[in-house]
Structures are given as structure tokens and as C-alpha cells.
Amino acid sequence: MTELESSEPRAFRREQILTPPESPGLFQFRDALTAPGRKVDLEIGCGVGWHPIQYARANPDRVLLAIEQTREKYGKFSARLLAHQNRGVPLPSLIPVHADAVAWTTAYVPSASLDRIFIYYPNPNPKNAAARWIRMPFFRELLTKVKRGGEIHFRTNSATYAQEVLDYGTRIWGLELMLRREFSSRDKGASEYATHFEKKYLEAGEVCREIVFRV
């Protein structure tokens, strides 16, 4: 058994996950699932909302469920979304949710219902490998929520994290690699930054990485 195989995540224990309270976002999400032909995407840890708002504006035909657990960041996300609405830019296809992504997704997202998942610039947790998304037992559960042919998008500024995502995605989870790229400030304009973290990293001269898998 290789070192990678010996560190395969433990089984996910659904029965240990507490069901979060229902919220307006849940009812919007259920309505979206019943719309014929509607594509539904999920962003885990959307922060202050830069990416979900840009994405919703560019993809009005898709639904984006954007989950953020941190109270402060979710507050800024809500304020940003309200500001767009007050300027006459409604984003009905964007569903903000203030919750723990593991609990909310486990409880409320049906199997094979998502077309894309975004995990952008997560905490690399260098001292706790089991807390990294690609190595969490929950990732096995998350994969069941994606349609056949659906996509999982990662971005990070950490070369080590990106390599781990690549290794686990292909060798442990059996995902098809669609895209692997590195980019710097010379490759992107300010208007194309995906998140606040990406803007900060690129303006500081760092290299960012993107990995996209097909399920």
C-alpha cells in the first residue's frame, strides 16, 4: 500500500451530522431544483461574496448556492448583495446561505443534483490534514451530490495544497482532470480576479493555481 493509499479518508458518518435549521435559502434552493433544465451550482466558503456575485451576474441562467459559515464574512456578503440590489442589479439566481457547509449540504442537497462545485482559496490547514476539503471524510459525501459529468473547481495559492488536491482527486477519488494551470498577475487583469484572496495574492506577486475535475 502506498503512502497516499494508506492516508485515504475515513468513512463519512452522516448520523453524526446535526441538521441545521431551515432558512429562506433552503426554500429558494428547493424551488431551483424543481425548475426544468436549470443548472445548479454550489460554492463552499464564499467569503464576502466577490466570486458568487460576479458569477451570478455572468451566468443568470444558472443557480448558485453560496454558503459561508463565518458571521463577519457572511454579513459583508449580505451587505454587498443588498448594495447590488439597491443599484438595480437583482441577482435572483444567487442563493446566499449562512451555515456550516458540511451540515447544510449533507442535510439538504439531494444526490446527483449539482452541476458545479467551487472551493476557492480554502484554509490550507498545514497542521491538520484531515481538515483539508480534499482529504475530509465529507468529500466522499460531497461527490454523491454532483451529477455525472459535473465539475469540481479548486483554486489556491499554495503549491503544496494544489499538488495534494491533484493527487487525491485523481488517485483516491478517481476524478478526471479537466484543467490544471498556474497564473500570475501578468496573466490576469484586475477585473478578472475571482476572489479578494486571489486579488491579494496576485498583487503581492504570488502564483495562483486552478484545478478542475470532472466527476
Side-chain angles (χ1 to χ4, degrees):
M1 179 179 291
T2 68
E3 180 180 352
L4 184 64
E5 291 169 337
S6 66
S7 58
E8 182 175 350
R10 304 182 309 277
F12 180 66
R13 306 291 186 184
R14 288 180 60 98
E15 68 277 6
Q16 297 178 1
I17 303 298
L18 297 177
T19 299
E22 295 186 350
S23 64
L26 174 60
F27 307 125
Q28 290 178 266
F29 176 62
R30 285 173 173 166
D31 286 344
L33 291 176
T34 62
R38 201 74 184 270
K39 294 187 180 299
V40 180
D41 306 324
L42 167 67
E43 181 166 357
I44 293 177
C46 67
V48 298
W50 187 323
H51 177 261
I53 288 174
Q54 289 187 96
Y55 186 81
R57 293 186 67 175
N59 299 275
D61 58 326
R62 307 179 73 99
V63 171
L64 178 62
L65 175 68
I67 301 181
E68 174 55 45
Q69 181 178 17
T70 307
R71 182 180 300 275
E72 180 182 1
K73 290 181 179 178
Y74 184 79
K76 292 180 179 179
F77 175 22
S78 297
R80 186 183 300 275
L81 184 56
L82 180 61
H84 277 73
Q85 293 170 343
N86 290 339
R87 292 199 299 268
V89 187
L91 298 170
S93 64
L94 176 55
I95 304 174
V97 173
H98 181 211
D100 172 73
V102 172
W104 207 95
T105 303
T106 299
Y108 297 129
V109 177
S111 298
S113 62
L114 301 175
D115 292 276
R116 292 175 183 166
I117 294 176
F118 299 96
I119 304 177
Y120 279 180
Y121 300 96
N123 183 346
N125 285 295
K127 297 182 179 180
N128 185 6
R132 297 196 283 271
W133 288 105
I134 197 70
R135 295 183 63 165
M136 291 171 66
F138 168 68
F139 199 79
R140 190 189 311 275
E141 174 77 4
L142 186 62
L143 291 177
T144 70
K145 310 296 186 179
V146 187
K147 296 176 183 176
R148 185 69 178 173
E151 302 169 3
I152 301 182
H153 296 239
F154 281 91
R155 287 195 188 190
T156 180
N157 65 316
S158 167
T160 303
Y161 191 99
Q163 186 61 50
E164 184 175 67
V165 166
L166 180 66
D167 290 342
Y168 268 76
T170 56
R171 296 171 62 185
I172 296 297
W173 302 119
L175 302 174
E176 177 187 352
L177 180 63
M178 293 178 61
L179 174 68
R180 179 189 185 186
R181 73 180 181 112
E182 297 183 350
F183 56 94
S184 67
S185 59
R186 292 171 295 181
D187 304 310
K188 297 181 70 67
S191 62
E192 298 176 359
Y193 295 132
T195 74
H196 281 91
F197 282 117
E198 187 165 288
K199 182 176 187 293
K200 180 181 75 172
Y201 296 143
L202 292 179
E203 288 183 346
E206 295 190 43
V207 174
C208 293
R209 286 97 181 161
E210 180 177 25
I211 294 174
V212 180
F213 297 114
R214 178 181 287 121
V215 176

